[in-house]
Amino acid sequence: MPLEITARTSLCLIIGDPVSHSLSPAMHNAAYAHLGIQFVMGAAHVTPEGLVDAIKGVRALGIRGLAVTMPHKVSIMPLLDAVVPTAQAIGAVNTVVVENGVLTGFNTDWLGILRPLEQRTPLKGKAVALLGAGGAAQAALHACQSQGASVTIFNRTIEKAKTIAERFGCAVLPLTDVMELGAFDIIINTTSVGMDPNRNQSPIPQSAICKHHIVFETIYSPARTQLIQMSEAVGAQTITGLEMFLEQGAAQFQLHTGVKAPRAEMEKILKAALGR
Ligand code: ATR
């Protein structure tokens, strides 16, 4: 059924800089249309300088919800009326819900990590090698630690990793210490190495990947990164960035609409958009 937009349609926006590449509007609009619910999502290019005014606009225009992407996930937090404890613990907001004029910040990125992982293995007691120390790494840390996994951060810049490690209470190693990876159960890549246009790069060599690993890639463009291809080649289990994007989006959909997300429909749109 096509999306019917009327004067009663609830408006959601994704805000980011840049934003034109975002797959969120296509994914959410397909889901609204599939369920026949009165929502629509657009995209707003909001610069860091424009964020304060944009949030005033959200209040003034009665926007129902936001999807928040780079570079606003941290800077939006003090502009909101409330931030739920999980988003506070992660230190980032990727979802805003507006209810009776009150703007509440949530984080669903960590669910995008947790749900695909727990479908493969119980996380309790598992050793996780987390590649990278940016925003996505903090969501992954929260996901793993919430289930009792122990995490070691591998990062190019040790100082940056140490700051996060202190906050979350975990170990740190240089990204070059790949010979240590054999002792881990799960490898999660949150670095940007391998992202388009550098699709022939990988954060770790194939020789560091073992058959017993579960390798989780958070990059979704390209759909099958070099890391995913190498992991498949050695027979490791893999989780692609598409799964993460889908799960964070499904949780976001439910927060915005109060309705369970139609995952299969959303996945279809993502696969078509990412050419797989
Ligand atoms: P996000 O918030 O999306 O996670 P980010 O904060 O820019 O993104 O973090 C990017 C991560 O990729 C960082 O861990 C970064 O390592 P540094 O802390 O050393 O900068 C990592 N990264 C980016 N390019 C890299 C490269 N060429 N080699 C190794 N690590 C890289």
Side-chain angles (χ1 to χ4, degrees):
M1 185 182 6
L3 191 61
E4 192 190 329
I5 301 168
T6 72
R8 282 188 292 277
T9 302
S10 296
L11 303 178
C12 291
L13 283 174
I14 174 153
I15 60 168
D17 178 22
V19 79
S20 59
H21 66 287
S22 174
L23 298 175
S24 291
M27 181 174 71
H28 285 265
N29 288 325
Y32 304 146
H34 181 74
L35 297 179
I37 55 176
Q38 284 290 298
F39 272 73
V40 68
M41 182 180 281
H45 181 201
V46 175
T47 61
E49 302 74 41
L51 184 63
V52 170
D53 285 344
I55 298 305
K56 284 185 188 154
V58 167
R59 293 179 190 279
L61 295 169
I63 302 292
R64 180 75 181 90
L66 296 176
V68 183
T69 188
M70 302 312 291
H72 304 312
K73 289 186 181 188
V74 179
S75 47
I76 197 170
M77 295 176 74
L79 306 176
L80 303 174
D81 302 311
V83 174
V84 298
T86 43
Q88 262 162 7
I90 296 164
V93 158
N94 79 324
T95 305
V96 175
V97 176
V98 187
E99 203 113 46
N100 302 319
V102 178
L103 275 64
T104 305
F106 297 83
N107 188 302
T108 67
D109 287 331
W110 74 285
L111 294 169
I113 305 262
L114 177 63
R115 294 207 167 129
L117 273 177
E118 64 186 7
Q119 281 164 21
R120 267 80 173 184
T121 187
L123 281 170
K124 195 169 167 51
K126 293 286 174 356
V128 177
L130 179 59
L131 316 182
Q138 292 178 65
L141 262 163
H142 182 76
C144 295
Q145 290 188 335
S146 72
Q147 304 303 307
S150 72
V151 182
T152 300
I153 302 177
F154 289 72
N155 201 46
R156 178 179 60 178
T157 312
I158 282 293
E159 284 315 310
K160 194 163 151 196
K162 277 187 181 158
T163 311
I164 296 173
E166 261 169 42
R167 192 151 69 79
F168 284 87
C170 64
V172 171
L173 284 172
L175 187 56
T176 44
D177 272 10
V178 289
M179 59 286 200
E180 306 290 339
L181 287 171
F184 289 81
D185 305 299
I186 298 167
I187 301 173
I188 306 177
N189 177 41
T190 68
T191 77
S192 49
V193 184
M195 193 183 286
D196 274 331
N198 301 314
R199 55 168 63 200
N200 59 348
Q201 294 178 5
S202 167
I204 52 173
Q206 183 164 326
S207 56
I209 307 167
C210 308
K211 201 171 178 332
H212 74 267
H213 283 140
I214 296 175
V215 180
F216 193 142
E217 171 67 275
T218 64
I219 295 170
Y220 61 80
S221 181
R224 288 179 74 251
T225 60
Q226 189 71 34
L227 177 65
I228 288 287
Q229 293 180 46
M230 290 181 341
S231 304
E232 284 173 356
V234 302
Q237 272 195 79
T238 56
I239 303 171
T240 67
L242 187 145
E243 261 191 83
M244 179 190 176
F245 191 77
L246 175 65
E247 288 300 337
Q248 67 76 32
Q252 188 168 64
F253 180 96
Q254 185 154 356
L255 284 169
H256 284 157
T257 65
V259 176
K260 196 166 161 19
R263 268 192 184 65
E265 196 61 25
M266 292 163 85
E267 189 174 356
K268 207 162 71 187
I269 292 293
L270 286 180
K271 283 187 170 162
L274 292 167
R276 54 165 288 185

